[in-house]
Amino acid sequence: MYAYDEIDRTLVNERVSEFRDQVKRRLSGELTEDEFKLLRLQNGVYLQLHAYMFRVAIPYGTLASKQLRALAHVARKYDRGYGHFTTRQNIQFNWIKLAELPDALADLAKVGIHAMQTSGNNMRNVTSDQWAGVAPGEIEDPRIWSELIRQHTTLHPEFSFLPRKFKIAITASDHDRAAIKIHDIGLRLIKNEKGETGFEVLVGGGLGRTPFIAKTIKHFVHGRDILSYIEAILRVYNQYGRRDNIYKARIKILVHELGIEKFSREVDDEWQHIRNSSLQIDDEVIEDIRSRFTYPAYEKLPHMPDELRQAAADPDFEAWRKNSVAAHKVQGYSIVTISLKPIGKPPGDATAEQMDALADLADRYSFGEIRVGHEQNLALPHVAKRDLPALWKALDKLGLATPNVNLITDIIACPGLDYCSLANARSIPIAQELTRRFANHELANLIGRLHINISGCINACGHHHVGHIGILGVEKNGEEVYQITIGGRADENAGLGTLIGPGVKFDEVADVVEDIVEAYLALRERPEELFMDTVKRLGVEPFKERVYATR
Amino acid sequence: MPLVNGGKIADDSFVKLAVDTPLPESGDILVPAERFLGEAEGLLKRAGKVGVIWPNNRDIDELVPYLGKVAAVALVFPTFRDGRAYSQARLLRERYDYRGELRATGQVLRDQFVFMLRAGFDSFDVKKQADAEAFMQTAKRYSVFYQPTGDGRITALHRRMQLRHSEGVGT
């Protein structure tokens, strides 16, 4: 965990007091809605279909139990008793009153949580691997660098009014759980031949109307230069990014229009001016940040404790363990993913009661720490293996032990037309129906790893382009129509899915997905061949035939 | 629009000229970039200060040769959500060491003052009277700054280092 000090706390409190003043001026009419809009967005406040939506940052996905309790408190006191975890290591509350927002922020500030820059045309919440610091084989804990960048990008005096939003994600593992290739800047922590820490820097990824996979702009930027390099990219973007058309304003369009070579020359020119400035980070600064991350006092534990051996006799426990428990870098410990995708419920939602109870479980079994991943699931990062059976029982009581992580019902979905003012189609009911169709664990397990991503509009909050099966809701002649893509992925081999044919109606979506899955089961060469491998081997054609032959 | 200069509401000595306004005999003038570049020699010879209004989509490099001669550079925020002039301001102050008046014009609201001060602005054509009156109070809203900029304020990272070192001395 990272511990805020007095300096960080002061800034958050100053921000709350500023926003309180801004809300007051809005309510008195001193600020117009147009003026206020940008200010509220910079504080995570959207005006949605029914009410204000409030988005709270969870930097690099790490939460302390007291912070999760504070989120539960906000859900209970200011909202309708639940929150929605998103694809950006955030939590959203959907029913909050504008006049109460400053109080909600002040309550969160007490535990070092804020909503700064969770929306608006500025540098957004820095995201990272939800297994950071505990994943076996990672280069080093990417959160140290995430925190450095979080601080640097917070209330940045040059980049708080960019052409469009700007997202940075960091990974330090071979397996990319942070989806860095679909971010404006993706950073992959690496070591050079001298053993020095640095980054492969990728730029220009993003989904939405014009999806792009990020391109490598530099194979190695030394850690001490990373802030100046990011600043150089941002400065080029701020000056030359398009502002004439909101749909062409993201950095991916600038990179695409200039070409990566020309863009990279522009960045290099800028970088030469500033790389030896006060932006250079000395080791002492990094060590200071590193020192404020505390790690649990792990015990020396056996690899296979008796408790786990005994529990293995219970098939329900085993089903969950195989699905939800991952290897930890410390022997005797595990990373436990908590599915927020129970059958028939909106993906990513958690009630205040569940959040409170999870905070308690984190205290008991995970050194008080919780993680939030972009798949809209949570994780307990330090669970002793001997505690797994007890934890499982407790999670099951809370409705949080659905063994479907990475399976077909572990669906990523945006809030869609039910909540979002941008959406053209519903997402949640599609997700709910699909989880019911594939509720049978044996079947889901037989199918294996398969990610379904659903967006209710072209803005792609549900990351449909990178779903193994992607579902995009659009509106056509007053009706919801869903376009289906297959073969996308958001990991280290990220790629965009291919459209399989004409859009289908709301009622047909689940049938179409079933058809695709049946086709896959018939086409795969052996049970170990995953859906993505079959699509890679055969292309979309056989799936297209299966889906449209009878339609 | 009230002008805030040196932290308080001040009279504006500059008269803004359009591209085709006849040149006044004397007094301080603010001239659009295009006109300035066209008539620089003549403008700089006359008595009175000359400032230039530089649009946010024009390369600041063109202005660099004149920086020692102009008394003011006015950068433009056509809307408060267009942040290009922040980059221009920092380049002028930090890369080209411009020390004259750096003025923010256009849609200048109190909620931008801190960002503008940090980027190097010291003069503000404020849109609303109430915002101009609230300048000092708003400018002091923040005491913590995470990034180094040319305004020389100590960053959080370095403040921590200082605290750490001073603690070290005592132990």
Side-chain angles (χ1 to χ4, degrees), chain A residues 5 8 14 18 22 25 34-35 154 158 231 238 270 284 292, chain B residues 81 83 87 90 95 110-111 128 142-143 146-147 160 164-165:
Chain A
D5 62 7
D8 300 298
E14 287 169 347
E18 180 183 45
Q22 288 165 341
R25 282 188 288 139
D34 185 50
E35 290 163 347
T154 296
E158 185 177 345
E231 189 119 327
N238 190 37
E270 184 56 46
E284 203 184 3
R292 288 198 290 142
Chain B
R81 50 187 88 223
S87 286
R90 288 196 67 196
R95 182 163 307 162
R110 79 172 77 173
D111 308 283
K128 300 177 185 179
Y142 286 95
S143 64
Y146 279 129
Q147 317 78 5
R160 284 194 193 103
R164 184 159 282 220
H165 289 152

PDB file of all heavy atoms in Angstrom, chain A residues 5 8 14 18 22 25 34-35 154 158 231 238 270 284 292, chain B residues 81 83 87 90 95 110-111 128 142-143 146-147 160 164-165:
ATOM      1  N   ASP A   5       1.032  11.146   2.655  1.00  0.00           N
ATOM      2  CA  ASP A   5       1.564  11.918   3.779  1.00  0.00           C
ATOM      3  C   ASP A   5       0.793  13.242   3.863  1.00  0.00           C
ATOM      4  O   ASP A   5      -0.152  13.487   3.118  1.00  0.00           O
ATOM      5  CB  ASP A   5       3.080  12.121   3.646  1.00  0.00           C
ATOM      6  CG  ASP A   5       3.453  12.921   2.404  1.00  0.00           C
ATOM      7  OD1 ASP A   5       2.541  13.431   1.715  1.00  0.00           O
ATOM      8  OD2 ASP A   5       4.655  13.035   2.121  1.00  0.00           O
ATOM      9  N   ASP A   8       0.338  15.150   0.523  1.00  0.00           N
ATOM     10  CA  ASP A   8      -0.724  14.637  -0.354  1.00  0.00           C
ATOM     11  C   ASP A   8      -2.095  14.977   0.210  1.00  0.00           C
ATOM     12  O   ASP A   8      -3.004  15.373  -0.517  1.00  0.00           O
ATOM     13  CB  ASP A   8      -0.622  13.111  -0.501  1.00  0.00           C
ATOM     14  CG  ASP A   8       0.695  12.654  -1.096  1.00  0.00           C
ATOM     15  OD1 ASP A   8       0.981  13.019  -2.239  1.00  0.00           O
ATOM     16  OD2 ASP A   8       1.431  11.932  -0.403  1.00  0.00           O
ATOM     17  N   GLU A  14      -7.344  20.724  -0.287  1.00  0.00           N
ATOM     18  CA  GLU A  14      -7.437  21.994  -1.016  1.00  0.00           C
ATOM     19  C   GLU A  14      -8.343  21.845  -2.232  1.00  0.00           C
ATOM     20  O   GLU A  14      -9.117  22.745  -2.570  1.00  0.00           O
ATOM     21  CB  GLU A  14      -6.026  22.471  -1.412  1.00  0.00           C
ATOM     22  CG  GLU A  14      -5.250  22.994  -0.215  1.00  0.00           C
ATOM     23  CD  GLU A  14      -3.756  23.242  -0.477  1.00  0.00           C
ATOM     24  OE1 GLU A  14      -3.228  22.783  -1.510  1.00  0.00           O
ATOM     25  OE2 GLU A  14      -3.119  23.880   0.388  1.00  0.00           O
ATOM     26  N   GLU A  18     -11.831  23.836  -3.048  1.00  0.00           N
ATOM     27  CA  GLU A  18     -12.045  24.531  -4.317  1.00  0.00           C
ATOM     28  C   GLU A  18     -13.354  24.087  -4.963  1.00  0.00           C
ATOM     29  O   GLU A  18     -14.151  24.901  -5.447  1.00  0.00           O
ATOM     30  CB  GLU A  18     -10.883  24.259  -5.277  1.00  0.00           C
ATOM     31  CG  GLU A  18     -11.039  24.963  -6.619  1.00  0.00           C
ATOM     32  CD  GLU A  18      -9.924  24.631  -7.602  1.00  0.00           C
ATOM     33  OE1 GLU A  18      -9.567  23.441  -7.719  1.00  0.00           O
ATOM     34  OE2 GLU A  18      -9.419  25.550  -8.257  1.00  0.00           O
ATOM     35  N   GLN A  22     -16.814  25.963  -6.087  1.00  0.00           N
ATOM     36  CA  GLN A  22     -17.336  25.915  -7.458  1.00  0.00           C
ATOM     37  C   GLN A  22     -18.802  25.479  -7.473  1.00  0.00           C
ATOM     38  O   GLN A  22     -19.621  26.032  -8.210  1.00  0.00           O
ATOM     39  CB  GLN A  22     -16.465  24.987  -8.319  1.00  0.00           C
ATOM     40  CG  GLN A  22     -15.085  25.617  -8.616  1.00  0.00           C
ATOM     41  CD  GLN A  22     -14.061  24.624  -9.155  1.00  0.00           C
ATOM     42  OE1 GLN A  22     -14.205  23.409  -9.004  1.00  0.00           O
ATOM     43  NE2 GLN A  22     -13.003  25.139  -9.762  1.00  0.00           N
ATOM     44  N   ARG A  25     -20.902  28.343  -6.318  1.00  0.00           N
ATOM     45  CA  ARG A  25     -21.076  29.353  -7.378  1.00  0.00           C
ATOM     46  C   ARG A  25     -22.024  28.856  -8.466  1.00  0.00           C
ATOM     47  O   ARG A  25     -22.771  29.625  -9.053  1.00  0.00           O
ATOM     48  CB  ARG A  25     -19.712  29.735  -7.972  1.00  0.00           C
ATOM     49  CG  ARG A  25     -18.929  30.697  -7.074  1.00  0.00           C
ATOM     50  CD  ARG A  25     -17.677  31.212  -7.759  1.00  0.00           C
ATOM     51  NE  ARG A  25     -16.664  30.172  -7.869  1.00  0.00           N
ATOM     52  CZ  ARG A  25     -15.902  29.960  -8.933  1.00  0.00           C
ATOM     53  NH1 ARG A  25     -16.040  30.723 -10.008  1.00  0.00           N
ATOM     54  NH2 ARG A  25     -15.007  29.014  -8.936  1.00  0.00           N
ATOM     55  N   ASP A  34     -22.219  25.853 -18.714  1.00  0.00           N
ATOM     56  CA  ASP A  34     -21.101  25.631 -19.633  1.00  0.00           C
ATOM     57  C   ASP A  34     -19.760  25.787 -18.914  1.00  0.00           C
ATOM     58  O   ASP A  34     -18.839  24.985 -19.099  1.00  0.00           O
ATOM     59  CB  ASP A  34     -21.193  26.612 -20.813  1.00  0.00           C
ATOM     60  CG  ASP A  34     -20.115  26.319 -21.849  1.00  0.00           C
ATOM     61  OD1 ASP A  34     -19.997  25.136 -22.233  1.00  0.00           O
ATOM     62  OD2 ASP A  34     -19.400  27.260 -22.244  1.00  0.00           O
ATOM     63  N   GLU A  35     -19.669  26.816 -18.077  1.00  0.00           N
ATOM     64  CA  GLU A  35     -18.428  27.021 -17.324  1.00  0.00           C
ATOM     65  C   GLU A  35     -18.222  25.916 -16.288  1.00  0.00           C
ATOM     66  O   GLU A  35     -17.123  25.409 -16.084  1.00  0.00           O
ATOM     67  CB  GLU A  35     -18.458  28.382 -16.612  1.00  0.00           C
ATOM     68  CG  GLU A  35     -18.350  29.566 -17.552  1.00  0.00           C
ATOM     69  CD  GLU A  35     -18.795  30.880 -16.910  1.00  0.00           C
ATOM     70  OE1 GLU A  35     -19.412  30.865 -15.819  1.00  0.00           O
ATOM     71  OE2 GLU A  35     -18.542  31.929 -17.518  1.00  0.00           O
ATOM     72  N   THR A 154      -1.232  15.166 -11.666  1.00  0.00           N
ATOM     73  CA  THR A 154      -2.340  15.720 -10.900  1.00  0.00           C
ATOM     74  C   THR A 154      -2.271  17.251 -10.890  1.00  0.00           C
ATOM     75  O   THR A 154      -1.267  17.824 -10.462  1.00  0.00           O
ATOM     76  CB  THR A 154      -2.310  15.176  -9.457  1.00  0.00           C
ATOM     77  OG1 THR A 154      -2.508  13.759  -9.518  1.00  0.00           O
ATOM     78  CG2 THR A 154      -3.424  15.785  -8.616  1.00  0.00           C
ATOM     79  N   GLU A 158      -0.023  22.694 -17.210  1.00  0.00           N
ATOM     80  CA  GLU A 158       0.000  22.849 -18.669  1.00  0.00           C
ATOM     81  C   GLU A 158      -1.006  21.929 -19.346  1.00  0.00           C
ATOM     82  O   GLU A 158      -1.490  22.240 -20.437  1.00  0.00           O
ATOM     83  CB  GLU A 158       1.419  22.554 -19.175  1.00  0.00           C
ATOM     84  CG  GLU A 158       1.605  22.801 -20.665  1.00  0.00           C
ATOM     85  CD  GLU A 158       3.049  22.552 -21.106  1.00  0.00           C
ATOM     86  OE1 GLU A 158       3.947  22.463 -20.239  1.00  0.00           O
ATOM     87  OE2 GLU A 158       3.260  22.438 -22.322  1.00  0.00           O
ATOM     88  N   GLU A 231       6.073  14.259 -20.645  1.00  0.00           N
ATOM     89  CA  GLU A 231       5.789  15.687 -20.800  1.00  0.00           C
ATOM     90  C   GLU A 231       5.997  16.120 -22.265  1.00  0.00           C
ATOM     91  O   GLU A 231       5.226  16.912 -22.801  1.00  0.00           O
ATOM     92  CB  GLU A 231       6.706  16.483 -19.857  1.00  0.00           C
ATOM     93  CG  GLU A 231       6.352  17.962 -19.774  1.00  0.00           C
ATOM     94  CD  GLU A 231       5.960  18.415 -18.370  1.00  0.00           C
ATOM     95  OE1 GLU A 231       5.361  17.608 -17.625  1.00  0.00           O
ATOM     96  OE2 GLU A 231       6.228  19.565 -18.022  1.00  0.00           O
ATOM     97  N   ASN A 238      -0.684  18.674 -26.923  1.00  0.00           N
ATOM     98  CA  ASN A 238      -1.447  19.876 -26.533  1.00  0.00           C
ATOM     99  C   ASN A 238      -1.394  20.935 -27.627  1.00  0.00           C
ATOM    100  O   ASN A 238      -2.361  21.643 -27.875  1.00  0.00           O
ATOM    101  CB  ASN A 238      -0.900  20.445 -25.218  1.00  0.00           C
ATOM    102  CG  ASN A 238      -1.781  21.541 -24.640  1.00  0.00           C
ATOM    103  OD1 ASN A 238      -3.006  21.465 -24.727  1.00  0.00           O
ATOM    104  ND2 ASN A 238      -1.172  22.561 -24.067  1.00  0.00           N
ATOM    105  N   GLU A 270      11.239  17.939 -28.842  1.00  0.00           N
ATOM    106  CA  GLU A 270      10.782  18.557 -27.603  1.00  0.00           C
ATOM    107  C   GLU A 270      11.555  17.990 -26.416  1.00  0.00           C
ATOM    108  O   GLU A 270      11.977  18.719 -25.517  1.00  0.00           O
ATOM    109  CB  GLU A 270       9.267  18.301 -27.453  1.00  0.00           C
ATOM    110  CG  GLU A 270       8.618  18.960 -26.262  1.00  0.00           C
ATOM    111  CD  GLU A 270       8.825  20.465 -26.230  1.00  0.00           C
ATOM    112  OE1 GLU A 270       8.651  21.119 -27.284  1.00  0.00           O
ATOM    113  OE2 GLU A 270       9.158  20.987 -25.150  1.00  0.00           O
ATOM    114  N   GLU A 284      16.950   9.129  -5.475  1.00  0.00           N
ATOM    115  CA  GLU A 284      16.473   9.415  -4.124  1.00  0.00           C
ATOM    116  C   GLU A 284      14.948   9.626  -4.110  1.00  0.00           C
ATOM    117  O   GLU A 284      14.259   9.192  -3.194  1.00  0.00           O
ATOM    118  CB  GLU A 284      17.176  10.682  -3.628  1.00  0.00           C
ATOM    119  CG  GLU A 284      17.209  10.793  -2.136  1.00  0.00           C
ATOM    120  CD  GLU A 284      17.835  12.106  -1.684  1.00  0.00           C
ATOM    121  OE1 GLU A 284      18.186  12.945  -2.543  1.00  0.00           O
ATOM    122  OE2 GLU A 284      17.935  12.289  -0.464  1.00  0.00           O
ATOM    123  N   ARG A 292       7.417   4.571   0.673  1.00  0.00           N
ATOM    124  CA  ARG A 292       6.065   4.783   1.210  1.00  0.00           C
ATOM    125  C   ARG A 292       5.079   3.702   0.775  1.00  0.00           C
ATOM    126  O   ARG A 292       3.906   3.744   1.123  1.00  0.00           O
ATOM    127  CB  ARG A 292       5.575   6.178   0.833  1.00  0.00           C
ATOM    128  CG  ARG A 292       6.343   7.219   1.665  1.00  0.00           C
ATOM    129  CD  ARG A 292       5.670   8.544   1.688  1.00  0.00           C
ATOM    130  NE  ARG A 292       5.758   9.167   0.392  1.00  0.00           N
ATOM    131  CZ  ARG A 292       4.776   9.886  -0.142  1.00  0.00           C
ATOM    132  NH1 ARG A 292       3.640  10.031   0.484  1.00  0.00           N
ATOM    133  NH2 ARG A 292       4.944  10.459  -1.295  1.00  0.00           N
TER     134      ARG A 292
ATOM    135  N   ARG B  81     -11.590  26.159 -22.270  1.00  0.00           N
ATOM    136  CA  ARG B  81     -11.231  24.744 -22.383  1.00  0.00           C
ATOM    137  C   ARG B  81     -10.113  24.491 -23.399  1.00  0.00           C
ATOM    138  O   ARG B  81      -9.718  23.357 -23.602  1.00  0.00           O
ATOM    139  CB  ARG B  81     -12.465  23.892 -22.678  1.00  0.00           C
ATOM    140  CG  ARG B  81     -13.316  24.382 -23.820  1.00  0.00           C
ATOM    141  CD  ARG B  81     -14.610  23.585 -23.956  1.00  0.00           C
ATOM    142  NE  ARG B  81     -15.684  24.121 -23.135  1.00  0.00           N
ATOM    143  CZ  ARG B  81     -16.522  23.392 -22.415  1.00  0.00           C
ATOM    144  NH1 ARG B  81     -16.407  22.088 -22.405  1.00  0.00           N
ATOM    145  NH2 ARG B  81     -17.474  23.954 -21.718  1.00  0.00           N
ATOM    146  N   GLY B  83      -6.417  24.741 -24.060  1.00  0.00           N
ATOM    147  CA  GLY B  83      -5.242  24.961 -23.210  1.00  0.00           C
ATOM    148  C   GLY B  83      -3.924  25.142 -23.938  1.00  0.00           C
ATOM    149  O   GLY B  83      -2.857  24.991 -23.336  1.00  0.00           O
ATOM    150  N   SER B  87       0.970  25.877 -22.865  1.00  0.00           N
ATOM    151  CA  SER B  87       2.259  25.393 -23.384  1.00  0.00           C
ATOM    152  C   SER B  87       3.083  26.566 -23.905  1.00  0.00           C
ATOM    153  O   SER B  87       4.293  26.646 -23.662  1.00  0.00           O
ATOM    154  CB  SER B  87       2.040  24.372 -24.514  1.00  0.00           C
ATOM    155  OG  SER B  87       1.590  23.142 -23.986  1.00  0.00           O
ATOM    156  N   ARG B  90       4.665  28.458 -21.007  1.00  0.00           N
ATOM    157  CA  ARG B  90       5.813  27.790 -20.392  1.00  0.00           C
ATOM    158  C   ARG B  90       7.045  27.863 -21.299  1.00  0.00           C
ATOM    159  O   ARG B  90       8.161  28.036 -20.820  1.00  0.00           O
ATOM    160  CB  ARG B  90       5.472  26.331 -20.070  1.00  0.00           C
ATOM    161  CG  ARG B  90       4.506  26.203 -18.906  1.00  0.00           C
ATOM    162  CD  ARG B  90       4.479  24.805 -18.363  1.00  0.00           C
ATOM    163  NE  ARG B  90       5.742  24.431 -17.742  1.00  0.00           N
ATOM    164  CZ  ARG B  90       6.068  23.172 -17.473  1.00  0.00           C
ATOM    165  NH1 ARG B  90       5.253  22.187 -17.774  1.00  0.00           N
ATOM    166  NH2 ARG B  90       7.221  22.906 -16.893  1.00  0.00           N
ATOM    167  N   ARG B  95      11.837  28.183 -21.708  1.00  0.00           N
ATOM    168  CA  ARG B  95      12.822  27.888 -22.738  1.00  0.00           C
ATOM    169  C   ARG B  95      13.479  29.155 -23.256  1.00  0.00           C
ATOM    170  O   ARG B  95      14.667  29.188 -23.496  1.00  0.00           O
ATOM    171  CB  ARG B  95      12.180  27.119 -23.900  1.00  0.00           C
ATOM    172  CG  ARG B  95      13.186  26.736 -24.980  1.00  0.00           C
ATOM    173  CD  ARG B  95      12.668  25.659 -25.885  1.00  0.00           C
ATOM    174  NE  ARG B  95      12.203  24.524 -25.109  1.00  0.00           N
ATOM    175  CZ  ARG B  95      11.394  23.586 -25.575  1.00  0.00           C
ATOM    176  NH1 ARG B  95      10.968  23.641 -26.827  1.00  0.00           N
ATOM    177  NH2 ARG B  95      11.011  22.601 -24.799  1.00  0.00           N
ATOM    178  N   ARG B 110     -11.628  32.593 -12.822  1.00  0.00           N
ATOM    179  CA  ARG B 110     -10.829  32.417 -11.596  1.00  0.00           C
ATOM    180  C   ARG B 110     -10.321  30.980 -11.435  1.00  0.00           C
ATOM    181  O   ARG B 110      -9.277  30.750 -10.844  1.00  0.00           O
ATOM    182  CB  ARG B 110     -11.626  32.839 -10.363  1.00  0.00           C
ATOM    183  CG  ARG B 110     -12.623  31.834  -9.871  1.00  0.00           C
ATOM    184  CD  ARG B 110     -13.222  32.248  -8.539  1.00  0.00           C
ATOM    185  NE  ARG B 110     -14.225  33.310  -8.717  1.00  0.00           N
ATOM    186  CZ  ARG B 110     -15.000  33.755  -7.738  1.00  0.00           C
ATOM    187  NH1 ARG B 110     -14.868  33.279  -6.522  1.00  0.00           N
ATOM    188  NH2 ARG B 110     -15.895  34.676  -7.966  1.00  0.00           N
ATOM    189  N   ASP B 111     -11.074  30.040 -12.009  1.00  0.00           N
ATOM    190  CA  ASP B 111     -10.713  28.635 -11.831  1.00  0.00           C
ATOM    191  C   ASP B 111      -9.446  28.252 -12.595  1.00  0.00           C
ATOM    192  O   ASP B 111      -8.935  27.157 -12.428  1.00  0.00           O
ATOM    193  CB  ASP B 111     -11.896  27.760 -12.235  1.00  0.00           C
ATOM    194  CG  ASP B 111     -13.155  28.199 -11.507  1.00  0.00           C
ATOM    195  OD1 ASP B 111     -13.285  27.883 -10.319  1.00  0.00           O
ATOM    196  OD2 ASP B 111     -13.979  28.929 -12.104  1.00  0.00           O
ATOM    197  N   LYS B 128     -14.750  38.231 -15.706  1.00  0.00           N
ATOM    198  CA  LYS B 128     -15.772  38.699 -14.767  1.00  0.00           C
ATOM    199  C   LYS B 128     -15.136  39.539 -13.659  1.00  0.00           C
ATOM    200  O   LYS B 128     -14.100  39.154 -13.099  1.00  0.00           O
ATOM    201  CB  LYS B 128     -16.477  37.510 -14.111  1.00  0.00           C
ATOM    202  CG  LYS B 128     -17.177  36.586 -15.081  1.00  0.00           C
ATOM    203  CD  LYS B 128     -17.773  35.421 -14.297  1.00  0.00           C
ATOM    204  CE  LYS B 128     -18.389  34.407 -15.248  1.00  0.00           C
ATOM    205  NZ  LYS B 128     -18.941  33.258 -14.527  1.00  0.00           N
ATOM    206  N   TYR B 142      -4.057  26.819  -3.439  1.00  0.00           N
ATOM    207  CA  TYR B 142      -3.228  25.618  -3.309  1.00  0.00           C
ATOM    208  C   TYR B 142      -1.871  25.933  -2.677  1.00  0.00           C
ATOM    209  O   TYR B 142      -1.271  26.964  -2.980  1.00  0.00           O
ATOM    210  CB  TYR B 142      -2.993  24.968  -4.679  1.00  0.00           C
ATOM    211  CG  TYR B 142      -4.224  24.260  -5.188  1.00  0.00           C
ATOM    212  CD1 TYR B 142      -5.112  24.890  -6.053  1.00  0.00           C
ATOM    213  CD2 TYR B 142      -4.525  22.965  -4.759  1.00  0.00           C
ATOM    214  CE1 TYR B 142      -6.256  24.240  -6.504  1.00  0.00           C
ATOM    215  CE2 TYR B 142      -5.665  22.309  -5.205  1.00  0.00           C
ATOM    216  CZ  TYR B 142      -6.522  22.958  -6.079  1.00  0.00           C
ATOM    217  OH  TYR B 142      -7.657  22.316  -6.504  1.00  0.00           O
ATOM    218  N   SER B 143      -1.441  25.024  -1.816  1.00  0.00           N
ATOM    219  CA  SER B 143      -0.111  25.178  -1.226  1.00  0.00           C
ATOM    220  C   SER B 143       0.798  24.022  -1.625  1.00  0.00           C
ATOM    221  O   SER B 143       1.967  24.008  -1.294  1.00  0.00           O
ATOM    222  CB  SER B 143      -0.227  25.243   0.304  1.00  0.00           C
ATOM    223  OG  SER B 143      -0.729  24.006   0.788  1.00  0.00           O
ATOM    224  N   TYR B 146       2.698  19.419  -7.443  1.00  0.00           N
ATOM    225  CA  TYR B 146       3.429  18.181  -7.733  1.00  0.00           C
ATOM    226  C   TYR B 146       4.481  18.335  -8.826  1.00  0.00           C
ATOM    227  O   TYR B 146       5.403  17.548  -8.903  1.00  0.00           O
ATOM    228  CB  TYR B 146       2.446  17.091  -8.153  1.00  0.00           C
ATOM    229  CG  TYR B 146       1.745  16.385  -7.010  1.00  0.00           C
ATOM    230  CD1 TYR B 146       0.354  16.254  -6.989  1.00  0.00           C
ATOM    231  CD2 TYR B 146       2.466  15.796  -5.970  1.00  0.00           C
ATOM    232  CE1 TYR B 146      -0.292  15.569  -5.976  1.00  0.00           C
ATOM    233  CE2 TYR B 146       1.823  15.122  -4.941  1.00  0.00           C
ATOM    234  CZ  TYR B 146       0.443  15.011  -4.954  1.00  0.00           C
ATOM    235  OH  TYR B 146      -0.193  14.330  -3.946  1.00  0.00           O
ATOM    236  N   GLN B 147       4.293  19.321  -9.719  1.00  0.00           N
ATOM    237  CA  GLN B 147       5.200  19.390 -10.878  1.00  0.00           C
ATOM    238  C   GLN B 147       6.143  20.592 -10.777  1.00  0.00           C
ATOM    239  O   GLN B 147       5.742  21.663 -10.358  1.00  0.00           O
ATOM    240  CB  GLN B 147       4.411  19.547 -12.187  1.00  0.00           C
ATOM    241  CG  GLN B 147       3.183  18.689 -12.317  1.00  0.00           C
ATOM    242  CD  GLN B 147       1.996  19.217 -11.533  1.00  0.00           C
ATOM    243  OE1 GLN B 147       2.044  20.291 -10.952  1.00  0.00           O
ATOM    244  NE2 GLN B 147       0.927  18.448 -11.499  1.00  0.00           N
ATOM    245  N   ARG B 160       9.381  16.883   0.285  1.00  0.00           N
ATOM    246  CA  ARG B 160       9.573  15.653   1.057  1.00  0.00           C
ATOM    247  C   ARG B 160      11.059  15.378   1.311  1.00  0.00           C
ATOM    248  O   ARG B 160      11.449  14.965   2.397  1.00  0.00           O
ATOM    249  CB  ARG B 160       8.979  14.466   0.300  1.00  0.00           C
ATOM    250  CG  ARG B 160       7.497  14.419   0.363  1.00  0.00           C
ATOM    251  CD  ARG B 160       6.979  13.067  -0.097  1.00  0.00           C
ATOM    252  NE  ARG B 160       5.562  13.204  -0.310  1.00  0.00           N
ATOM    253  CZ  ARG B 160       5.005  13.317  -1.508  1.00  0.00           C
ATOM    254  NH1 ARG B 160       5.728  13.238  -2.595  1.00  0.00           N
ATOM    255  NH2 ARG B 160       3.707  13.475  -1.601  1.00  0.00           N
ATOM    256  N   ARG B 164      12.847  15.127   4.862  1.00  0.00           N
ATOM    257  CA  ARG B 164      13.587  13.925   5.181  1.00  0.00           C
ATOM    258  C   ARG B 164      15.012  14.268   5.632  1.00  0.00           C
ATOM    259  O   ARG B 164      15.493  13.743   6.629  1.00  0.00           O
ATOM    260  CB  ARG B 164      13.595  13.039   3.944  1.00  0.00           C
ATOM    261  CG  ARG B 164      14.235  11.719   4.135  1.00  0.00           C
ATOM    262  CD  ARG B 164      13.748  10.774   3.077  1.00  0.00           C
ATOM    263  NE  ARG B 164      12.413  10.289   3.413  1.00  0.00           N
ATOM    264  CZ  ARG B 164      12.032   9.038   3.234  1.00  0.00           C
ATOM    265  NH1 ARG B 164      12.848   8.176   2.702  1.00  0.00           N
ATOM    266  NH2 ARG B 164      10.840   8.641   3.588  1.00  0.00           N
ATOM    267  N   HIS B 165      15.625  15.194   4.896  1.00  0.00           N
ATOM    268  CA  HIS B 165      17.002  15.560   5.260  1.00  0.00           C
ATOM    269  C   HIS B 165      17.063  16.294   6.592  1.00  0.00           C
ATOM    270  O   HIS B 165      17.938  16.065   7.398  1.00  0.00           O
ATOM    271  CB  HIS B 165      17.642  16.400   4.147  1.00  0.00           C
ATOM    272  CG  HIS B 165      17.933  15.584   2.925  1.00  0.00           C
ATOM    273  ND1 HIS B 165      17.971  16.095   1.666  1.00  0.00           N
ATOM    274  CD2 HIS B 165      18.157  14.260   2.799  1.00  0.00           C
ATOM    275  CE1 HIS B 165      18.227  15.124   0.799  1.00  0.00           C
ATOM    276  NE2 HIS B 165      18.337  14.011   1.463  1.00  0.00           N
TER     277      HIS B 165
END
